[in-house]
Amino acid sequence: MAETIVRLTPRPSRLSEADFVDRFGDVYEHSPWIAKEAYQLGLGEPQDTPQGLAEVMARVFCAADPERQLGVLRAHPDLAGKAALAGELTRDSSVEQASAGLDQCTPEQFARFQTLNDAYQKRFGFPFIIAVKGLHRGDILDAFAARLEHDLEQERKTAVDQVNRIALLRLCDRVG
């Protein structure tokens, strides 16, 4: 039996650069430059799938200079943070945080998130980033506390990996 190939709609390889960036420029939080540079590498049928497009976009992000990567990390919101309370999250971030129940924290959980957000930001200089899809508040809080024990290099690599995972999950959600 033939394997079913799941494609993005519209197919990225058939879009103009402007349409591609318009459609996929928000996959990496507030960083349309990644979509633009991915497009400029040349897209073909393999990039018409979520996995294929995620791979080329991750290559662009991972090849970026450290300051540019840091800008992407810093573009992510705190989990259960002030932006969420103020309704200032992107649509994707809002849906992702709600899927993990972060919009339903108890006052104690919310306070713990704030304490961990502050400690993490102070230690690493960017927000805690984790692909929350499929996780619960407790899982996230446990990962938060554990990752505060990382050194800067280890945590930065983990954050970059998580950003790439978030991008893949966002692309999977856009399958037509």
Side-chain angles (χ1 to χ4, degrees), residues 139-156:
D139 302 324
I140 296 164
L141 286 167
D142 291 345
F144 216 140
R147 285 176 48 192
L148 268 166
E149 301 300 317
H150 287 178
D151 63 36
L152 178 59
E153 183 179 335
Q154 180 184 22
E155 188 53 27
R156 187 166 173 154

Side-chain angles (χ1 to χ4, degrees), residues 21-36:
V21 173
D22 186 56
R23 173 88 173 141
F24 299 105
D26 62 345
V27 170
Y28 282 77
E29 199 86 10
H30 302 291
S31 302
W33 64 268
I34 294 172
K36 183 174 182 163

Side-chain angles (χ1 to χ4, degrees), residues 15-103:
L15 295 173
S16 68
E17 181 176 329
D19 288 341
F20 178 82
V21 173
D22 186 56
R23 173 88 173 141
F24 299 105
D26 62 345
V27 170
Y28 282 77
E29 199 86 10
H30 302 291
S31 302
W33 64 268
I34 294 172
K36 183 174 182 163
E37 290 185 20
Y39 184 90
Q40 291 170 352
L41 290 175
L43 303 177
E45 269 191 55
Q47 288 76 46
D48 288 341
T49 66
Q51 183 66 38
L53 186 54
E55 287 172 7
V56 73
M57 292 178 89
R59 250 190 349 261
V60 168
F61 178 47
C62 290
D65 68 68
E67 282 305 308
R68 213 163 188 200
Q69 281 184 355
L70 189 57
V72 174
L73 299 180
R74 288 181 174 154
H76 280 261
D78 286 336
L79 295 177
K82 294 172 186 82
L85 289 174
E88 297 172 349
L89 297 179
T90 64
R91 184 190 64 76
D92 286 322
S93 288
S94 183
V95 168
E96 291 158 1
Q97 289 198 28
S99 77
L102 299 184
D103 59 339

